[in-house]
Amino acid sequence: MEMRIHGGLALVCLLFSQFSSCSAFYLPGLAPVSFCEKDNGGEDCQTLIQLFVNRLDSVESVLPYEYDVFDFCKDVKEKRPSENLGQVLFGERIESSPYKFNFNEEVKCKAVCTKKYSKASQEDATKLDFLKMGMQLNYQHHWIIDNMPVTWCYDVEDGQKYCNPGFPIGCLVTADGKPKDACVINSDFHKKNTFYVFNHVDIKLTYHSGEAEGWRGARLVTATLEPKSIKQADEASPSCEGTTPMEVPMELSEDVSVVYTYSVSFEENNSIKWASRWDYILVSMPHTNIQWFSIMNSLVIVLFLSGMVAMIMLRTLHKDIARYNQVDQEDAQEESGWKQVHGDVFRPPRKGMLLSVFLGQGTQIFIMTFITLFLACLGFLSPANRGALMTCSVVLWVLLGTPAGYVSARLYKTFGGEKWKTNVLLTALLCPGIVFADFFLMNLILWWEGSSAAIPFGTLVAILALWFGISVPLTFVGAYFGFKKTAIEQPVRTNQIPRQIPEQSFFTKPIPGIVMGGILPFGCIFIQLFFILNSIWSHQMYYMFGFLFLVFIILLITCSEATILLCYFHLCAEDYHWWWRSFLTSGFTAVYLFIYAVHYFFSKLQIVGAASTFLYFGYTMIMVLIFFLFTGTIGFFACFWFVNKIYSVVKVD
């Protein structure tokens, strides 16, 4: 996919300058399609434009529904394009629609179908009630032409234009006469306690002609529409000039007939290239300035932490080591500080099995995240390549069982553990098992509610097959090599008798240190987190992977440096229990993530219903667990390196 790369993506392209052009390639399946007028068609040039429909979703509900669940016009010969794993997991359900038209042939008010609802029929009343529920919760259509979202563009404040990749089914004027959602766009929507259904769309397609550039036909570069509510006086010959809106009463006291119609117009615009046809949607999302503020805010935190770490490494540690290596051992005994716990600092931690399992899983998640973001920065996982991000993540996670098994086994051996079978099984099954159990429970709720996001049984079996057939054996392979290697050699010997830890001040006690440790890493990511949550729950497009990659690097540095700082302070207070603390210090960022997700739920979302609330927090818990393992692993290995480094330069008799 050729896509112009915005803001943050340009930054990453500079970082990887060996790729002479970050955007000059087509991805498989995303090559341009040429369209010709009816008489000039051929194998290399299509004449018929097919409109596809996707699932409908709402910001007021976590439950998406398939197009067919609502009583809309359906295609006689329904076709469903093959969907990848990511699309199925995200609940995308794309199917063909009865909206079909030829290239460059204008259509004026063509009827698609008529839906009649009789007051005497209970079935009709049920169908209409479901449609009204969709309007009340502001469910949105998502239409696709030539793999592009059909957008509804309208003016917002400050003269800005916002292009929404969806448009509402209809809207509601409440009992007190207050228009909800899209009802504010038309002053004719004023009748109290009434629904207005958008039964007509004006579709406008812009194309780029290939004549001047030597290729045949034309390529579609924008697809926009304007939804309208029009009551048809004569169903046999519809007219779309009328201004009387299509009203649907609260109670079905009389027969209701809804005629669905559409108009299509075409416009040539050779200034928009096919490669940059998504730009008008992405540019209308005014986030870039906030992103730069976020990056600058994060960089200030990183500079502050780096300065602190550098000061400790260069001044304090350098002086400490020099003085400690010069003085007699008797004088040294009178000193206090990190040098005095050299005989205990590598004493194996309690619950070493669990820590090694967490670190194995964390390593798997870290490598998966790094590769996924790197590919996203290079444009492989753009919004046009639907479901690619999720598919890539799942496949990478499955294939990265070997590093998880290796890291877990090697560390468990270093801790002096001998139950290697239990270690391997827990590494392969514990955390993925928790995620799968949560996911399965969420799926049962979606299935019970009849949502399109419910994953088919076959897909669940396929995921289990990937897990047990590929991931688990690869974890065993990694563990085999991990146990074959010798345990990691420590720079100092461990004493047989544990040293007594002196009374600690409030700030060097475990819990205050762990709670403080997560604040700075969270401060680096919370603005980016807002956009990610928006893309998941408010159904906004996320495309700023360049910024996300930078924030990812900043998060790595911040987690590492914050953990090293707190680890040093604790060692100076002669508290040598650093193994678990280093993991939990940066891992506590996940607790702040959960608190922020709760705040986001109550302050930004209008989600209603017990099922939607349960689903929101169910999926949030999966995110929090993955983030906990990821950040905890970063903190642990940074601290592990630091402790090995400082004790390797101390002379010990």
Side-chain angles (χ1 to χ4, degrees):
M1 168 74 185
E2 268 190 326
M3 265 184 79
R4 192 173 296 158
I5 295 176
H6 293 266
L9 292 178
L11 270 173
V12 177
C13 282
L14 289 172
L15 292 174
F16 309 112
S17 55
Q18 67 266 36
F19 296 92
S20 56
S21 171
C22 273
S23 58
F25 54 85
Y26 297 129
L27 290 181
L30 295 177
V33 177
S34 295
F35 291 94
C36 294
E37 292 179 17
K38 197 171 184 180
D39 301 330
N40 301 326
E43 283 187 17
D44 61 337
C45 204
Q46 297 182 20
T47 55
L48 186 71
I49 297 174
Q50 168 75 67
L51 189 147
F52 286 90
V53 290
N54 203 343
R55 52 96 183 263
L56 287 86
D57 53 36
S58 163
V59 293
E60 295 180 37
S61 173
V62 178
L63 302 165
Y65 289 102
E66 278 192 62
Y67 179 85
D68 284 352
V69 175
F70 291 93
D71 193 31
F72 297 130
C73 304
K74 294 174 181 61
D75 196 8
V76 180
K77 293 180 180 176
E78 194 175 278
K79 290 182 292 186
R80 289 179 181 262
S82 58
E83 293 176 334
N84 59 40
L85 182 63
Q87 286 175 287
V88 175
L89 291 176
F90 269 130
E92 288 201 8
R93 300 292 181 267
I94 299 171
E95 58 192 79
S96 60
S97 77
Y99 297 86
K100 300 179 177 78
F101 37 88
N102 290 321
F103 174 73
N104 224 6
E105 278 185 20
E106 300 222 341
V107 178
K108 291 285 184 191
C109 202
K110 184 176 180 180
V112 187
C113 72
T114 302
K115 293 290 180 181
K116 297 181 185 292
Y117 302 98
S118 168
K119 63 180 180 182
S121 168
Q122 185 58 45
E123 187 186 349
D124 287 356
T126 306
K127 286 179 181 176
L128 195 60
D129 283 346
F130 196 75
L131 189 68
K132 288 189 282 191
M133 180 279 294
M135 289 188 272
Q136 188 167 357
L137 293 177
N138 196 26
Y139 269 83
Q140 307 257 325
H141 282 287
H142 293 281
W143 288 4
I144 301 160
I145 289 178
D146 189 29
N147 200 37
M148 265 197 91
V150 184
T151 58
W152 176 33
C153 297
Y154 50 88
D155 293 325
V156 289
E157 64 269 6
D158 303 329
Q160 296 275 330
K161 180 167 274 196
Y162 176 68
C163 290
N164 185 1
F167 69 95
I169 298 173
C171 60
L172 166 69
V173 176
T174 59
D176 55 359
K178 184 183 176 185
K180 269 190 76 187
D181 304 314
C183 276
V184 298
I185 63 172
N186 194 333
S187 57
D188 291 332
F189 301 160
H190 53 72
K191 193 172 178 182
K192 293 180 182 179
N193 236 13
T194 303
F195 291 96
Y196 293 91
V197 62
F198 291 129
N199 59 332
H200 174 80
V201 285
D202 284 329
I203 302 169
K204 183 181 179 184
L205 300 177
T206 310
Y207 63 90
H208 180 107
S209 177
E211 285 178 23
E213 295 170 31
W215 43 268
R216 188 161 170 251
R219 292 171 182 172
L220 300 182
V221 287
T222 68
T224 59
L225 60 71
E226 187 183 349
K228 291 180 178 176
S229 179
I230 301 171
K231 185 176 176 64
Q232 299 294 345
D234 183 5
E235 293 174 15
S237 55
S239 165
C240 299
E241 304 300 320
T243 55
T244 309
M246 182 66 230
E247 297 176 0
V248 177
M250 276 284 182
E251 300 295 330
L252 191 59
S253 53
E254 57 185 36
D255 292 355
V256 174
S257 184
V258 182
V259 182
Y260 288 93
T261 56
Y262 71 98
S263 300
V264 185
S265 62
F266 290 85
E267 183 182 289
E268 185 174 343
N269 186 343
N270 292 329
S271 63
I272 305 173
K273 302 286 186 202
W274 185 90
S276 53
R277 64 183 190 156
W278 285 68
D279 286 11
Y280 80 100
I281 306 170
L282 307 180
V283 166
S284 76
M285 300 177 182
H287 297 151
T288 314
N289 292 340
I290 303 170
Q291 295 283 354
W292 282 116
F293 168 75
S294 162
I295 298 290
M296 295 311 295
N297 163 56
S298 303
L299 285 174
V300 168
I301 294 174
V302 167
L303 286 171
F304 164 72
L305 280 172
S306 300
M308 290 278 284
V309 171
M311 193 173 74
I312 284 173
M313 297 289 262
L314 296 173
R315 292 186 58 192
T316 320
L317 276 175
H318 188 68
K319 282 182 183 174
D320 281 354
I321 291 163
R323 190 169 70 246
Y324 186 71
N325 287 343
Q326 284 167 8
V327 298
D328 293 331
Q329 207 65 26
E330 285 180 21
D331 298 335
Q333 293 299 327
E334 296 167 15
E335 289 189 15
S336 62
W338 61 271
K339 292 85 61 183
Q340 301 308 307
V341 293
H342 65 76
D344 296 275
V345 75
F346 290 107
R347 191 175 298 286
R350 297 189 194 98
K351 309 283 184 193
M353 169 81 82
L354 189 61
L355 182 58
S356 61
V357 167
F358 280 175
L359 291 166
Q361 284 293 329
T363 306
Q364 191 174 5
I365 292 162
F366 168 72
I367 301 170
M368 176 199 81
T369 310
F370 180 81
I371 298 173
T372 304
L373 285 179
F374 185 79
L375 291 173
C377 284
L378 298 178
F380 284 99
L381 309 177
S382 70
N385 199 357
R386 297 171 192 280
L389 191 74
M390 190 70 172
T391 307
C392 178
S393 300
V394 171
V395 170
L396 280 171
W397 181 84
V398 167
L399 296 176
L400 288 166
T402 307
Y406 179 83
V407 168
S408 178
R410 190 91 196 274
L411 285 168
Y412 183 61
K413 191 171 183 179
T414 303
F415 296 156
E418 293 175 354
K419 297 177 183 174
W420 62 273
K421 290 177 184 173
T422 313
N423 173 263
V424 181
L425 283 170
L426 284 175
T427 305
L429 304 176
L430 178 65
C431 298
I434 294 168
V435 170
F436 186 82
D438 188 325
F439 197 72
F440 186 74
L441 186 62
M442 299 300 106
N443 203 54
L444 281 178
I445 295 165
L446 289 165
W447 174 76
W448 179 258
E449 294 286 337
S451 170
S452 75
I455 292 162
F457 180 73
T459 309
L460 280 176
V461 172
I463 292 168
L464 285 171
L466 286 171
W467 179 16
F468 285 102
I470 301 173
S471 183
V472 172
L474 286 174
T475 308
F476 274 79
V477 170
Y480 171 75
F481 287 108
F483 278 117
K484 270 191 78 175
K485 294 274 281 188
T486 55
I488 299 166
E489 196 176 333
Q490 315 296 8
V492 287
R493 283 198 313 273
T494 301
N495 295 339
Q496 286 187 336
I497 301 167
R499 180 190 179 90
Q500 191 173 354
I501 298 169
E503 185 68 31
Q504 299 292 305
S505 68
F506 175 75
F507 289 106
T508 54
K509 284 180 180 173
I511 292 173
I514 289 167
V515 171
M516 284 189 296
I519 293 172
L520 289 174
F522 179 75
C524 293
I525 61 159
F526 80 96
I527 294 177
Q528 201 67 36
L529 189 62
F530 171 76
F531 293 116
I532 292 168
L533 290 176
N534 265 359
S535 74
I536 297 170
W537 303 114
S538 299
H539 313 293
Q540 293 183 11
M541 223 166 270
Y542 191 89
Y543 65 99
M544 292 171 286
F545 295 110
F547 281 120
L548 188 59
F549 193 77
L550 277 178
V551 169
F552 173 79
I553 300 298
I554 288 168
L555 179 66
L556 289 185
I557 298 167
T558 316
C559 281
S560 304
E561 292 181 343
T563 310
I564 287 171
L565 271 177
L566 287 160
C567 183
Y568 174 72
F569 294 146
H570 286 119
L571 289 173
C572 285
E574 298 183 33
D575 184 350
Y576 51 83
H577 294 311
W578 64 274
W579 299 97
W580 268 108
R581 190 181 291 144
S582 63
F583 184 85
L584 296 173
T585 297
S586 51
F588 204 79
T589 312
V591 177
Y592 292 110
L593 169 73
F594 178 72
I595 293 166
Y596 184 81
V598 173
H599 162 74
Y600 181 85
F601 179 81
F602 288 108
S603 66
K604 296 285 187 291
L605 297 179
Q606 303 101 41
I607 285 177
V608 291
S612 288
T613 305
F614 193 76
L615 286 165
Y616 175 86
F617 285 105
Y619 287 129
T620 299
M621 290 313 293
I622 293 176
M623 285 167 57
V624 167
L625 174 64
I626 291 169
F627 197 69
F628 169 71
L629 295 169
F630 168 69
T631 49
T633 302
I634 295 164
F636 176 87
F637 283 114
C639 197
F640 187 69
W641 169 83
F642 172 76
V643 172
N644 270 280
K645 200 79 177 165
I646 62 172
Y647 284 99
S648 64
V649 292
V650 173
K651 290 178 191 168
V652 180
D653 292 335

